[in-house]
Amino acid sequence: MFKKTFFKIYFSFAFLAAIVYCVPVYFFIRKADYNQAWLLYVGNFLFMLVIVAFLFYFSSLKNDNPGTISLIVSGQKEVVLGMVISCMISFIMLIILIPGLFGKGIPSRVLSEAPVNILQGKTNGLSSMVLINSAIGNFVTGAFMSLILPASLRKRTQRKDEDPN
């Protein structure tokens, strides 16, 4: 799936995207207020910007003559790896920042001012909002950019992907 020479690049950008995403998520978990849910979408936007930076960097590695399909595939790999890492970090942050999440009784932090139709649970939907947003929100924003941007990054004279052999 990953070439050994590019794995370090994939992993470093994916880890950076996950960390940048988790900064606003940290503040959302600390506030635990439904009115601050916009912080999750700021995190998705920052995740998307790192994916854009990866595509520009990966394009420059191939001497500014990458194939559109190879850039799309590389971007999608990056999005999936970044999404998995961001889900893991978000879950770890939930465990650390919400004492009593897996214990008996009510945890120390629950989502306030949440609408009635939100997924209810031990945290009134706080944990489900964070985990669903880190999975679906990051995948949608990252996949969108990795599908749209490669078409504009290719050279105008390029007709198709070059044969690597």
Side-chain angles (χ1 to χ4, degrees), residues 50-63:
V50 175
I51 298 299
V52 167
F54 166 77
L55 289 171
F56 275 107
Y57 181 76
F58 198 75
S59 172
S60 70
L61 284 180
K62 297 202 172 207
N63 299 326

Side-chain angles (χ1 to χ4, degrees), residues 21 24-37 40 90 93-95 97-99 101 107-112 114 118-134:
Y21 166 75
V25 172
Y26 169 80
F27 292 111
F28 175 70
I29 294 172
R30 294 292 289 176
K31 279 273 194 187
D33 185 12
Y34 184 78
N35 293 327
Q36 300 298 318
L40 297 174
S90 296
M93 283 179 21
L94 284 170
I95 291 171
L97 295 175
I98 304 176
L101 182 63
S108 67
R109 191 169 276 119
V110 295
L111 189 64
S112 63
I118 199 165
L119 289 175
Q120 296 296 320
K122 240 179 148 174
T123 59
N124 277 354
L126 177 65
S127 57
S128 62
M129 275 183 73
V130 169
L131 293 175
I132 289 171
N133 185 273
S134 67

